[in-house]
Every structure is written in C-alpha cells, then in structure tokens.
Amino acid sequence: LRPKDGEKLCGDQCDAFDVGDSVYMALSDGMGSGEAAHREAAMTVRLLRQFLEADIQPEAALTTLNSAMALRGAETGSFTTVDLCILRGDEAAFYKFGAAPSYLKKNGAVRRITGSSLPVGLRGTPAAPDITTVTLEPGSFAVMISDGVADPSRDEWLQDLLAGWGGDDPQTLANLILSESIRRERLQDDCAVQVLYRLPEPEQPV
C-alpha cells in the first residue's frame, strides 16, 4: 500500500487469508483519498473477511456487503470498489464491483481480467458482481491492483513489465510494480498491489 502524495493514510486496503482449503485475496479502493477513504475501504475489507470466515458463500457475502454499503452510502454519499480473488485447487475466481483489472501471468503470457459492475455503495448498484473463473496453473501469478497503480486505459506498461519479469517471488514483483507505478503515475492516487504465486509442482524423480 502507498498513500496518495500528501496523505498519511492510504484510501486503498487489502487483505489475504485462508478459509479451509481456499485462499482469499480482497482489495478495496475507497472514494477519494485520506482518512474517509481509508475508513470506508478498511470497513469493506473487514466486513467481507468476516462474512467469508463465517462460511458464507462468496456471492451471498458480496450481495450482503453491497446491500450494507448501499445503506451506508445513502447516508454518507461514499462508495468503494470490491475486488476478490478466490483460489481453490487449480481454479481462481475473480469477483469485481467497480474494481481495476487483474492480471494472470505465466512465463511471458499475460491475461487481463476486467469487469463492468459499479462500485458498492452507489444507489442502483447491481446486486451481483462480475465473475470470471480461470485456471491458475502451477508457476502462475495472479496480480490485483487499484486504479492508482495503473490507469486501466493505459496499462500496457504493466502488462509488458509482467510479461518480461522472470522471477518467482511475489513480494519482489509487488515491490517492482509499485516502484514503477510511482515513477510513472507520481502517486496521484492511492495505490494497492497484491500478488499471489502458485508454486510449481515438484519434479518427479526419474
């Protein structure tokens, strides 16, 4: 996480946790920046984690979260994006409410995952998120960002960076994305980067 230039608190928040045999990554971008955006995004991520840890199914958890944030938004006028990735075995499912694109990387190949649903908290927000289900092969990366990292309309530099990077440490990749984003975007918005790496399968003895 990196706050917008001049702010002390980041208006983007993320979390990663396990529930049973599933790995969850959640990211939320609060409206604007500063303390209010930080509070809304943190609440969104916290509520989503609580629902999922209570064994509520993802679509039901997100629908409930959307309803709760819509009621709050009617009072405060605020809204937040919701980006959720769930990995179960080989399958990764991406759920998006107004969220920035996510990226899958395997060697030099990069796939971009997008959605068109509005953020939660807006009046008339659709009840269901955009859902994309993919196979996350061993040796693949899943990358989630907020739109402060890369403008969705000009993210070719990020796709090129992912395609050309040959490492295998997710923290190193997250740091690289963020440092390059700061160079290009000048911290004009809050930034959040979250990277999941699926380890290669061990080689079988001959």
Side-chain angles (χ1 to χ4, degrees), residues 104-111 162-163:
L104 297 181
K105 165 187 167 59
K106 176 70 182 293
N107 299 323
V110 176
R111 176 178 174 182
L162 292 173

Side-chain angles (χ1 to χ4, degrees), residues 16-128:
F17 53 96
D18 299 342
V19 179
D21 60 356
S22 300
V23 177
Y24 294 85
M25 294 199 307
L27 189 153
S28 179
D29 179 352
M31 180 184 70
S33 58
E35 184 176 350
H38 171 84
R39 184 172 57 247
E40 295 298 320
M43 177 186 298
T44 300
V45 170
R46 184 174 66 252
L47 285 173
L48 182 56
R49 177 168 182 164
Q50 289 173 351
F51 292 152
L52 294 169
E53 288 184 334
D55 209 25
I56 298 174
Q57 291 302 302
E59 287 188 60
L62 288 164
T63 300
T64 303
L65 176 67
N66 188 21
S67 298
M69 297 306 289
L71 289 173
R72 181 174 175 81
E75 297 177 0
T76 64
S78 61
F79 58 86
T80 62
T81 70
V82 178
D83 207 353
L84 176 67
C85 174
I86 305 172
L87 178 65
R88 292 191 180 107
D90 293 336
E91 185 178 278
F94 291 84
Y95 299 78
K96 291 181 177 292
F97 273 122
S102 297
Y103 306 84
L104 297 181
K105 165 187 167 59
K106 176 70 182 293
N107 299 323
V110 176
R111 176 178 174 182
R112 193 170 182 266
I113 297 173
T114 61
S116 57
S117 289
L118 297 172
V120 299
L122 289 172
R123 189 172 299 175
T125 302

Side-chain angles (χ1 to χ4, degrees), residues 60-206:
L62 288 164
T63 300
T64 303
L65 176 67
N66 188 21
S67 298
M69 297 306 289
L71 289 173
R72 181 174 175 81
E75 297 177 0
T76 64
S78 61
F79 58 86
T80 62
T81 70
V82 178
D83 207 353
L84 176 67
C85 174
I86 305 172
L87 178 65
R88 292 191 180 107
D90 293 336
E91 185 178 278
F94 291 84
Y95 299 78
K96 291 181 177 292
F97 273 122
S102 297
Y103 306 84
L104 297 181
K105 165 187 167 59
K106 176 70 182 293
N107 299 323
V110 176
R111 176 178 174 182
R112 193 170 182 266
I113 297 173
T114 61
S116 57
S117 289
L118 297 172
V120 299
L122 289 172
R123 189 172 299 175
T125 302
D130 293 303
I131 305 172
T132 304
T133 302
V134 299
T135 298
L136 190 68
E137 299 176 11
S140 297
F141 291 85
V143 178
M144 299 169 69
I145 65 168
S146 63
D147 63 4
V149 174
D151 187 317
S153 67
R154 47 181 176 85
D155 63 355
E156 293 84 1
W157 69 263
L158 176 53
Q159 296 183 60
D160 291 343
L161 182 153
L162 292 173
W165 189 71
D168 62 2
D169 180 66
Q171 186 63 60
T172 300
L173 179 55
N175 292 343
L176 177 62
I177 293 169
L178 191 54
S179 63
E180 183 64 14
S181 169
I182 292 171
R183 186 178 76 83
R184 290 173 177 271
E185 304 291 344
R186 306 294 181 189
L187 282 177
Q188 297 177 73
D189 194 1
D190 299 305
C191 296
V193 182
Q194 201 162 205
V195 179
L196 173 70
Y197 178 52
R198 186 161 180 229
L199 292 170
E201 294 177 343
E203 294 183 8
Q204 298 298 321
V206 178

